[in-house]
Each structure stands twice: as structure tokens, then as C-alpha cells.
Amino acid sequence: MAWLTAWALTGSLCTTAHAAPHGETNIRYLLRTAAEQGGAPKWLQHGPQMHSGFCADVIAALNQRGSGLKIQLVEQALPQKRLLQQVKSGELDLLCALTHTEERDQDFVFVQPELYNMPYVLLARADDPVEVRSWEALRALGEQGLVLLNYDSSRLPLLQAKGGLHLHARGLTTEANLRMLLAGRGRFFYFPLSNAWFAVQRMGVQHQVRVLLPALQSEPYHLLARRNLPKPALDQLSQGLQQLRQQGELARLALKWFGADLPPELRQALPHP
């Protein structure tokens, strides 16, 4: 009972609440996170307890710093909404990696610097010759420019605020929206470039869709922490990310996971470090 009380008071931070991994006695802060379901290639699942991807590599790199901070990955991957809820409530400490929104800014700390920047692009059917190079051009298409988004897309409020765009955000998954696009139930699908291309390859529809360039916007992705995470732990996270950036490790991992499988013309659309 005393152990449970300590856990409730301190969350998942201190080694007094969670024992340090065997053989590691210098850990001051033990932070918990989970892999995100459907977050490829940020996260890839190879089994109930086997994960890889950009975020897995970043966490491993941060853990190797020997700074007294350890990030522990819980076994079960979770949907993004549940991850957000558990970090907000303090059940988990961190979430990797999401874009900024006003709502999230109220509930989480966006650890600086950002992990990477990702272009958001429109996908169209390969047999559709349409070209869209700006929001104005998309708006001019009127009802002939219906844009599909995932139902929980963080970009939906931003696109709605632009006005005059025809949006359909009911597809539950990326794959569902790609199927809707190919079936003619929308003219475009709006999604992060590398995530979209990963799904396109997995579905085997590379020759049925095309990516419209240039990207309409680029968004930074961050490590999110719970609001009441102690400042020394936040400082260690920030210092670790800054070190990885200066060493070129963040850029290397971004290219490894987000650029390696892209065709050359799409790889050029990724921001250069």
C-alpha cells in the first residue's frame, strides 16, 4: 500500500516509485512512454513487445547519454488519442512525436528543439492531371476539390480556418482514405509525405496515386511531455535533443526512416538539415 501511495504522488518519475533497470543505479528520472499504433514510420510494430522506427531510435539515443534520465517503453502500443489521454493524466510521461496545436499547447509541454519537420502534401489519383500549387488554387476548384483527411487529423481545424475548402474528415485510417481516394470518393488526400508514402507502399498502390508538389505546408514534430514533469527532467530531455541535433543524429534518423524509401523526386521535398 505504501508503494502504491508513493506511485500516486510521484507519477512514474523517480526510482523510488519505479525500480531502475537491473544494473543501472544512476537513474534519477525514469520516464514512461508507449509506441503509437498506426504511427508508421514513427513507430513500427513487429510483435506485442517489439518496436522500431524513428521514435524508437531517438529514445535509444537519449538513453545512451548517461545523464541520469531513462525513457522506458511500456509493452503495449496505444492509439494516439489514448496516448494523449494517458500523458495528460500522468499515467505516461512522454509522447513521440506530434505537431503543435492550440489545444495540445494547453495540456502538454512541447520539448525543444523539434525532432524533425515533415511536409504535408496532397495525394491524387494517378490518372487525374490536376495540379495544385497553393491553397488559392485548391480553393478555386470548389466542390471539385474535395479533400480527404483522417477523422482525427490535427490539421483539420487549420484547414477549416482557411475558409472555402471542401473537406471530408471521416476516414478512420490512412488506408481507408486511400481506398476512398482510389474509388473517386474524394479528389485529394491530405497527409504527411513520408507517412502517406509508407501506407501507399504497404497497400501496393504506388502506380495508382501520385503526390502533388510542392508541399502546401511543412510542420515541426515534437516530443510531448506531461505538464507537471519536473523542470530538471525537461532540461535533460531538451539538452539531449539539442546534442543529437548538433551531432547530426536527428537528421540522420529522419533520413533513415522518412527518406530512404521515397522516390528521388519526393525525397527532395523533405526539409534539408
Side-chain angles (χ1 to χ4, degrees):
M1 184 62 68
W3 187 92
L4 289 175
T5 302
W7 185 89
L9 290 173
T10 60
S12 53
L13 272 184
C14 302
T15 54
T16 55
H18 288 277
H22 180 70
E24 299 186 40
T25 59
N26 64 335
I27 295 175
R28 183 181 179 190
Y29 295 109
L30 180 59
L31 311 183
R32 290 165 29 110
T33 188
E36 178 185 338
Q37 289 180 359
K42 293 187 301 182
W43 289 103
L44 299 174
Q45 280 81 53
H46 310 284
Q49 302 179 29
M50 297 177 62
H51 309 283
S52 66
F54 174 86
C55 285
D57 280 0
V58 168
I59 289 171
L62 289 172
N63 283 339
Q64 290 171 4
R65 294 183 65 241
S67 61
L69 181 146
K70 179 81 172 182
I71 302 174
Q72 182 183 63
L73 188 65
V74 302
E75 295 179 357
Q76 183 180 5
L78 301 173
Q80 185 181 113
K81 282 194 172 183
R82 189 173 171 191
L83 275 169
L84 287 166
Q85 292 170 352
Q86 292 201 6
V87 175
K88 183 177 178 179
S89 69
E91 295 176 72
L92 296 175
D93 303 299
L94 302 172
L95 192 161
C96 174
L98 289 183
T99 54
H100 181 272
T101 68
E102 292 185 5
E103 181 180 3
R104 291 172 183 170
D105 196 37
Q106 297 173 7
D107 296 327
F108 308 98
V109 176
F110 284 73
V111 183
Q112 300 293 339
E114 68 269 19
L115 298 169
Y116 59 90
N117 278 270
M118 180 60 61
Y120 273 69
V121 296
L122 292 172
L123 284 79
R125 291 181 297 278
D127 59 0
D128 187 345
V130 66
E131 295 291 343
V132 176
R133 297 183 175 274
S134 67
W135 294 114
E136 291 75 16
L138 179 59
R139 191 177 291 111
L141 291 173
E143 294 182 358
Q144 298 302 312
L146 182 63
V147 180
L148 304 173
L149 298 97
N150 286 359
Y151 83 103
D152 58 352
S153 173
S154 64
R155 303 300 92 186
L156 178 60
L158 301 179
L159 268 60
Q160 290 173 328
K162 292 181 180 298
L165 301 177
H166 292 265
L167 310 172
H168 182 88
R170 296 183 183 177
L172 296 181
T173 65
T174 305
E175 291 77 12
N177 270 317
L178 285 170
R179 287 191 289 269
M180 289 171 64
L181 177 70
L182 293 175
R185 296 172 59 190
R187 193 168 190 181
F188 306 105
F189 175 40
Y190 188 68
F191 209 61
L193 171 59
S194 293
N195 308 66
W197 194 253
F198 185 91
V200 164
Q201 287 187 306
R202 185 166 52 190
M203 292 176 63
V205 295
Q206 299 93 315
H207 302 296
Q208 299 179 53
V209 300
R210 64 189 184 95
V211 176
L212 276 59
L213 296 178
L216 293 185
Q217 65 186 112
S218 184
E219 294 285 346
Y221 279 70
H222 291 265
L223 190 68
L224 272 63
R226 59 183 174 89
R227 268 284 169 192
N228 58 348
L229 199 67
K231 187 177 185 300
L234 286 171
D235 290 343
Q236 285 291 344
L237 287 170
S238 183
Q239 292 168 16
L241 292 179
Q242 187 63 45
Q243 183 181 50
L244 293 179
R245 168 180 274 191
Q246 292 173 348
Q247 294 172 344
E249 186 66 4
L250 287 181
R252 185 189 72 81
L253 292 177
L255 180 61
K256 170 186 174 181
W257 290 105
F258 303 131
D261 293 333
L262 288 177
E265 65 275 12
L266 297 183
R267 194 179 307 130
Q268 293 178 5
L270 293 176
H272 296 287

